[in-house]
Amino acid sequence: MTTDTPARLLQLLSLLQTPREWPGGELSERLGVSRRTVRRDIDRLRELGYPVQATKGSDGGYRLVAGKAMPPLVLDDEEAVAIAVGLRAGAGHAVEGVDEASVRALAKLEQVLPSRLRHRVSTLQAATTPLTSGDGASIAPETLTVMASTVAGQERLRFAYRAKDGTESRRVTEPYRLVSTGRRWYLVAYDLDRADWRTFRVDRVTEPFATGARFAPRELPTGSAAEYLRQSIRRQQETYEFMVTFAASAEVVGARVPAWLGAPEPLSADRCRLRASTSDPVEWLAVRIAMLGIDFAVQGPTELVECVRELGGRLSRAGGG
C-alpha cells in the first residue's frame, strides 16, 4: 500500500498517462488504497490542472484527456531518454521546425535528468548519425541548452568566440534570443564590453558559461530578434535581390518559406511573388526554392535564372529525360 500521498499521486498520474481508460477498481488495486482514496486523489490532480475525465458505470473509469494547458508530464526512463536523444539530434543542426522552443525543452529536460540517464543519452547520440535537412555546421547540444537557459532565466552569459577572420575573444553578454535561419543558429545578445547589440554564430561559440548574474532585459533596436539578425547579416555581407513568382497563394507559399526570407506578395488567388534580399549563394537559393514543391518562375537576378536552368537540366538528365 502506498501511504505517501505525493508518491501515490505521481504513480496515479503515471498510470493515467497511458492512453487507455482505467476502472476505479483496477486503480485501487494498483495503488493499494480504497476507491474513495482514488477519487480523492483524482480530485487533487484536477486541482493541479490535470484534466482527468470520469465515466459513469458500475465500476466507473478514469482517463487523462487534452486540456487547455500543458501540465507537467511524468516520463519513465525509456521515454525520457528517447525525447532527449531526439531533441539533441535536432538541436545539433539548424533545422527548420526545430527552433528555440525545442532547445528550451531540451534544456529543461536535461536539467532534471539523473546522471545514469544523462550517460545513456550521450552514449546513444555518439553512436548515431542524424540525417538532417540543415547544411550548416553542427553544434554541441550542450552549447544550445546553456544558451537557452540563460535566455529564459535572464542570466548573463560568458563564452569564447571565434570571429569570421579567426580572431579569438572572450565575451560577456546579456542573451536575448536564439534564432535559427534553417542553416545556422545565431545568438542575439547585448555585448557588455562593447556596449552594443551583437549577433553571434553559435557554431563559433565555445566554453559557454552561465554566470548566475541576473539582468533586466534591454529593448531591442528592432521589433524582433529575427529582424535584427536579418539586418545584421545584410550589414556584414554583400547581398543581392531576387524575385520569384509562385503558382500558389501567398498563404500556401508563406507557410513553406523561411520567415527570414520575407513574406510573399499576393498577385491573385493562386499566384504570389516573393521579392527579397539574401547573401546566400545562388546555388543554395535555387535548391531551397525548388524544394518548396511549388511551380515557380525566377525573374531575377540573371545568375539565379541561369542557376535554376542548369539545375533543371541536370536533374532532367539524371532522371533519363
Side-chain angles (χ1 to χ4, degrees):
M1 175 176 177
T2 306
T3 58
D4 181 30
T5 300
R8 189 176 67 247
L9 285 176
L10 286 175
Q11 185 178 354
L12 173 59
L13 179 58
S14 180
L15 292 171
L16 291 175
Q17 285 180 168
T18 304
R20 55 161 288 193
E21 183 170 297
W22 289 87
E26 188 173 351
L27 288 176
S28 175
E29 293 178 5
R30 288 288 193 107
L31 299 174
V33 296
S34 66
R35 297 192 184 189
R36 182 180 178 182
T37 299
V38 170
R39 289 193 295 270
R40 194 163 53 238
D41 287 348
I42 291 293
D43 289 337
R44 289 195 181 98
L45 288 180
R46 287 170 175 162
E47 291 173 359
L48 292 172
Y50 292 94
V52 182
Q53 185 181 74
T55 56
K56 298 179 180 180
S58 57
D59 196 22
Y62 302 95
R63 65 185 305 162
L64 201 61
V65 298
K68 295 181 180 179
M70 179 66 193
L73 297 176
V74 176
L75 303 174
D76 62 29
D77 286 4
E78 299 303 322
E79 292 166 342
V81 169
I83 292 175
V85 170
L87 288 173
R88 275 184 165 221
H93 300 261
V95 184
E96 290 179 41
V98 183
D99 54 13
E100 187 189 348
S102 299
V103 177
R104 289 201 309 270
L106 177 59
K108 291 178 181 178
L109 180 59
E110 294 207 337
Q111 184 178 3
V112 296
L113 274 182
S115 58
R116 56 187 174 81
L117 297 187
R118 198 183 300 268
H119 175 71
R120 286 181 60 188
V121 170
S122 298
T123 301
L124 276 172
Q125 189 187 25
T128 59
T129 301
L131 179 62
T132 67
S133 60
D135 58 353
S138 60
I139 304 164
E142 293 82 0
T143 299
L144 281 172
T145 55
V146 170
M147 288 183 168
S149 297
T150 57
V151 168
Q154 298 175 2
E155 184 178 350
R156 288 180 178 174
L157 175 69
R158 186 172 67 233
F159 54 85
Y161 191 69
R162 176 178 50 82
K164 184 178 180 180
D165 61 3
T167 303
E168 304 279 350
S169 61
R170 307 289 299 187
R171 305 296 182 98
V172 180
T173 66
E174 294 177 353
Y176 184 79
R177 288 289 186 276
L178 281 166
V179 181
S180 170
T181 67
R183 300 178 65 203
R184 296 189 179 95
W185 282 101
Y186 288 85
L187 173 70
V188 176
Y190 187 84
D191 192 318
L192 294 174
D193 292 331
R194 290 152 182 79
D196 199 4
W197 289 92
R198 291 287 190 273
T199 59
F200 302 94
R201 271 181 49 175
V202 177
D203 58 293
R204 293 176 179 167
V205 170
T206 56
E207 304 173 43
F209 178 74
T211 65
R214 305 291 178 178
F215 66 88
R218 302 171 190 265
E219 185 176 353
L220 197 65
T222 58
S224 68
E227 177 60 26
Y228 182 82
L229 174 62
R230 188 181 300 115
Q231 294 182 12
S232 176
I233 291 176
R234 286 174 180 171
R235 289 193 299 268
Q236 296 174 20
Q237 301 177 348
E238 291 186 6
T239 62
Y240 61 91
E241 292 188 354
F242 68 92
M243 186 166 64
V244 182
T245 302
F246 293 94
S249 67
E251 290 77 13
V252 171
V253 176
R256 301 189 188 186
V257 172
W260 57 272
L261 269 181
E265 168 193 359
L267 297 177
S268 66
D270 55 1
R271 289 182 68 249
C272 67
R273 178 169 53 212
L274 179 63
R275 192 199 313 261
S277 299
T278 184
S279 58
D280 289 303
V282 292
E283 296 82 4
W284 183 88
L285 182 60
V287 172
R288 186 65 186 82
I289 293 173
M291 288 177 62
L292 295 177
I294 302 172
D295 289 345
F296 66 93
V298 178
Q299 279 74 51
T302 304
E303 294 81 2
L304 181 58
V305 174
E306 294 176 350
C307 183
V308 168
R309 287 174 179 167
E310 182 181 345
L311 175 63
R314 190 179 308 140
L315 292 175
S316 178
R317 291 191 295 275

